[in-house]
Amino acid sequence: MAVNRDKPDRWKADVAMSVDMYNNWFINFAPQAFREARVKDTEVVAANLKATDNLKNLHLEMLRENPGILPTLRMCTCPPIARDRLIGLAGVAKSVVDRMEIQGKLPVRLSSDRLNEELRKITSIISRLADRDIFPWLDTNQTPTESEIYRSATIVADRLCGSSADPIVRNAQEARQLREIAAWLDGHGYHLLPAAQRVRFHEMPPGTYSFRLNIPVNLSDEGGKTVNIPIDAVIMRKTAQPGDHPLLVEAKSAGDFTNVNKRRKEEARKVQQLNATYGNQIEFVLLNSSDKF
């Protein structure tokens, strides 16, 4: 069943409505989402500063014990440095920095001596570029007060949030959409499957739904390799019969008029993979930010 897929004359008006609604939501709620993220990041940064004796004791063992601290350290420099910039300035392997930043872990295939050398390079460049305006005690060698530490932590947290502002806002908007879906479904007698009760999507009981469920698909153009596609909302209708597939819903937002076609193509690719694996009867719906469920 096509909703608007076969009605391209509606697309421009639909995108415009989405942009208007998203902008209205952004003005009223995005600042709150950003502030909440900044509060959480301030707590993380304060703990990370404590682990480094407020940047006075940067050494490789500290990174060995807490590799996930690296994003915080990058925001402690003047100017703050991006991940790729750190790799270039320090002359370290990209795989080392990526694993520490993305997974919060150390690489496992490097010898201990090689890893120590990489970590020394990182601590050396961070120490050299540490922002003395934020951390004045690095030059005076005085012990910072609690208020000074907190002030520094909030500045670094603000930098962290600024570097990931789009994901913070996008995640908050997606959460709003999922709440809308849940409210509608709950009001119509559907039940959310507990997170611990993970079932295969086609084995969900009628009248149930789940969020962020992985759907396996076959990649025919990659030798039949199977991968999981995360779907925002999966709903098994009350009227479903044995063998029926649930309704798949993706929560999307057009916050501006750029890259709309790119997003459309990305989701079209998912549909192609789902149809190739499960047939053309499977239903996949994009829920725009302007849509009512």
Side-chain angles (χ1 to χ4, degrees):
M1 178 185 67
V3 181
N4 278 342
R5 185 185 63 191
D6 58 347
K7 304 175 184 67
D9 55 300
R10 298 183 181 179
W11 292 356
K12 287 187 177 180
D14 189 47
V15 171
M17 189 181 300
S18 175
V19 170
D20 290 344
M21 185 173 181
Y22 184 92
N23 288 343
N24 181 65
W25 172 87
F26 188 98
I27 291 172
N28 289 287
F29 296 102
Q32 177 183 346
F34 189 88
R35 283 194 296 268
E36 291 173 353
R38 183 165 51 191
V39 169
K40 293 179 181 178
D41 277 356
T42 299
E43 296 174 355
V44 172
V45 170
N48 287 340
L49 289 179
K50 184 177 180 181
T52 66
D53 191 17
N54 300 309
L55 291 192
K56 293 192 294 183
N57 193 14
L58 285 176
H59 53 82
L60 66 91
E61 289 302 326
M62 175 271 300
L63 281 180
R64 273 187 172 274
E65 295 169 4
N66 188 8
I69 199 175
L70 191 51
T72 295
L73 295 181
R74 287 193 294 103
M75 295 298 108
C76 291
T77 62
C78 181
I81 51 179
R83 189 187 305 169
D84 288 344
R85 179 67 66 186
L86 172 63
I87 292 169
L89 290 174
V92 296
K94 184 177 187 297
S95 58
V96 173
V97 173
D98 284 351
R99 184 168 173 82
M100 293 173 69
E101 293 250 352
I102 299 172
Q103 301 182 36
K105 299 178 181 179
L106 294 172
V108 295
R109 296 183 179 179
L110 291 183
S111 67
S112 181
D113 289 343
R114 171 72 188 284
L115 177 59
N116 285 345
E117 180 59 27
E118 297 288 86
L119 297 182
R120 283 193 189 95
K121 292 178 182 178
I122 293 174
T123 56
S124 175
I125 202 69
I126 296 295
S127 296
R128 182 176 177 181
L129 296 179
D131 194 333
R132 264 61 180 177
D133 291 327
I134 299 178
F135 310 105
W137 55 83
L138 295 178
D139 288 332
T140 63
N141 206 29
Q142 294 179 341
T143 300
T145 64
E146 288 298 318
S147 62
E148 288 176 326
I149 295 172
Y150 179 76
R151 186 183 305 116
S152 299
T154 58
I155 294 172
V156 174
D158 193 63
R159 290 177 172 183
L160 277 171
C161 287
S163 66
S164 57
D166 285 346
I168 289 172
V169 173
R170 188 164 55 246
N171 291 340
Q173 165 68 355
E174 181 183 282
R176 182 198 68 81
Q177 290 176 291
L178 296 186
R179 286 195 300 270
E180 292 277 350
I181 294 174
W184 191 96
L185 291 172
D186 292 344
H188 286 75
Y190 283 78
H191 302 283
L192 175 66
L193 289 176
Q197 187 181 337
R198 283 301 191 184
V199 298
R200 295 182 179 179
F201 81 105
H202 56 277
E203 296 176 351
M204 294 171 59
T208 62
Y209 67 97
S210 180
F211 289 139
R212 297 187 174 92
L213 193 64
N214 285 329
I215 310 296
V217 297
N218 298 322
L219 302 181
S220 57
D221 54 350
E222 296 187 24
K225 178 182 177 182
T226 299
V227 298
N228 287 326
I229 294 179
I231 301 295
D232 291 331
V234 181
I235 307 161
M236 186 66 81
R237 289 185 173 87
K238 294 179 181 179
T239 57
Q241 301 298 314
D244 286 351
H245 293 308
L247 172 67
L248 310 182
V249 180
E250 279 287 273
K252 293 295 179 183
S253 297
D256 53 57
F257 293 96
T258 60
N259 292 327
V260 175
N261 288 332
K262 179 177 181 291
R263 296 171 190 149
R264 224 181 256 134
K265 290 177 181 178
E266 290 171 350
E267 301 310 317
R269 174 64 173 165
K270 286 185 181 180
V271 173
Q272 293 171 356
Q273 294 170 340
L274 288 165
N275 287 342
T277 305
Y278 301 104
N280 294 330
Q281 297 306 309
I282 197 161
E283 296 175 280
F284 182 89
V285 175
L286 292 182
L287 182 69
N288 219 341
S289 61
S290 61
D291 295 334
K292 292 294 185 180
F293 195 74

